[in-house]
Amino acid sequence: MSKLKLHIFSVLLLLIFNVLFIQGFARNPLTFKNTYVSSPSIRHAEENGSFAESVNTVADAVSALKGKVVVVKYGGNAMTSPELFQGFCEDVAALQKLGVKLCVVHGGGPQISKMLERTGVESRFENGLRVSSADVVEVAEMVLCGSVNKGIAAGICRAGGKAIGLSGKDCSLLQCTKDTSNGNLEFVGNVEVVNTQLLNELLDAGITPVISPIGVGLQNTEDACTTYNVNADVAAGRVAGELVAERVLFLTDIKGVCDKDMNLISALSVDDVSALIEDETITGGMIPKVSYAVDAVRLGVQGAFITDGRIPQHALLNEILGGGAEGKGSGEGGTIVTL
């Protein structure tokens, strides 16, 4: 772990302790009035300028984000590694304690593939996208809305946070139309309406909604009872836009957007993205990833992060708190897209 990341995590723990200490003092001043905590990091703060700098960075970030909404698309290797899963749940719980309103939208492609194989349901891909027949959607709903969704919500709760698992069908949370932009993928949906009232009520109550990307047809149409499989990146970007989130983070299995020499580009504007696609710096599977980020920013999100979720030391915390009040991330763990 780099010194900066160590400092950020240490400062975060200190800030959380202070929040809990103040809350405890307010409840019972007699119990806490003689309490004194001596931290080795604090004792050496004056000698260690980098620690002091990290204190200011994290404090500025917390101040800027308190009471604001951050949407996280959780997927890739971060979901399949027990260590990364534990770190993710701890990050969500820690950010909750600092007053950040977290909303999680998760994927689960590998888990769906395993269940399709076990059940003998045939599945195929066109242009890298899964064709979702009625049978495939049934399996996807079973997997995503069942063990995957509830496992994430339970993990956040075990880490000390508050979370509730939801399907996009619950309370018509994600209302969709058929996606025809990539040919006939059958029951793949585009999110048209998000039930932001439900999400805001949960967020205001200090609860993190954990959303599985299984949607339903538009209300009051003949399609209202149709179930749709939605790309988790698409769903996260749309949820972030409709909530007018401060930030959206797409946790992926790549280090971010790279130049032609494979060096990480830490920040891009929407216009930069268009230029890099045109000159073929951004190609292949990276194009849809940056497109989802661009769409979210155009919907009003202040910054969209393509974040390397494989980082073992609290990737979510490092990117959300590492950029201070400016909110541009750590500069090491991915790429931020802004207007």
Side-chain angles (χ1 to χ4, degrees), residues 1 60 227 262 282:
M1 185 187 295
D60 287 346
T227 299
M262 297 308 295
I282 297 176

Side-chain angles (χ1 to χ4, degrees), residues 49-305:
S50 60
F51 180 82
E53 183 180 344
S54 296
V55 170
N56 290 328
T57 298
V58 174
D60 287 346
V62 170
S63 178
L65 286 174
K66 188 171 184 179
K68 302 291 181 65
V69 176
V70 174
V71 176
V72 181
K73 184 267 178 171
Y74 177 53
N77 193 53
M79 286 185 67
T80 57
S81 161
E83 178 188 6
L84 295 178
F85 172 74
Q86 180 65 26
F88 173 79
C89 293
E90 290 173 355
D91 288 357
V92 172
L95 289 164
Q96 278 188 342
K97 290 180 173 67
L98 294 173
V100 183
K101 298 179 178 180
L102 270 295
C103 181
V104 175
V105 180
H106 65 82
Q111 293 90 333
I112 293 172
S113 295
K114 287 181 180 178
M115 186 58 70
L116 289 171
E117 185 177 350
R118 285 178 60 185
T119 56
V121 175
E122 292 187 6
S123 175
R124 60 189 175 88
F125 288 80
E126 289 189 6
N127 300 319
L129 300 171
R130 190 191 300 274
V131 176
S132 294
S133 65
D135 289 339
V136 169
V137 171
E138 184 177 359
V139 171
E141 181 176 9
M142 176 177 63
V143 173
L144 295 179
C145 302
S147 58
V148 173
N149 181 264
K150 302 310 175 186
I152 296 169
I156 294 170
C157 293
R158 284 195 302 271
K162 295 180 180 179
I164 186 167
L166 297 169
S167 159
K169 295 172 71 173
D170 294 331
C171 215
S172 299
L173 178 55
L174 303 178
Q175 295 180 46
C176 305
T177 56
K178 182 175 180 176
D179 179 7
T180 59
S181 62
N182 296 290
N184 184 15
L185 298 177
E186 299 194 35
F187 294 99
V188 171
N190 268 332
V191 179
E192 303 290 346
V193 179
V194 177
N195 186 344
T196 55
Q197 180 180 348
L198 172 64
L199 295 179
N200 280 319
E201 287 175 354
L202 292 170
L203 292 168
D204 289 344
I207 299 170
T208 289
V210 178
I211 305 169
S212 63
I214 296 293
V216 67
L218 292 173
Q219 287 184 335
N220 303 316
T221 69
E222 61 182 16
D223 197 33
C225 294
T226 303
T227 299
Y228 286 103
N229 187 15
V230 183
N231 180 290
D233 292 311
V234 172
R238 188 58 185 260
V239 167
E242 295 298 326
L243 288 173
V244 195
E246 190 72 11
R247 299 174 199 169
V248 58
L249 288 87
F250 300 93
L251 292 182
T252 71
D253 286 344
I254 54 175
K255 66 179 181 179
V257 180
C258 295
D259 61 22
K260 290 184 178 180
D261 295 322
M262 297 308 295
N263 298 311
L264 177 68
I265 304 173
S266 61
L268 291 170
S269 69
V270 169
D271 290 339
D272 291 335
V273 170
S274 299
L276 291 175
I277 292 175
E278 187 173 343
D279 74 5
E280 298 186 346
T281 298
I282 297 176
T283 59
M286 180 56 73
I287 293 177
K289 292 183 186 301
V290 295
S291 298
Y292 304 141
V294 167
D295 289 344
V297 170
R298 285 177 172 162
L299 283 169
V301 178
Q302 295 301 305
F305 292 77

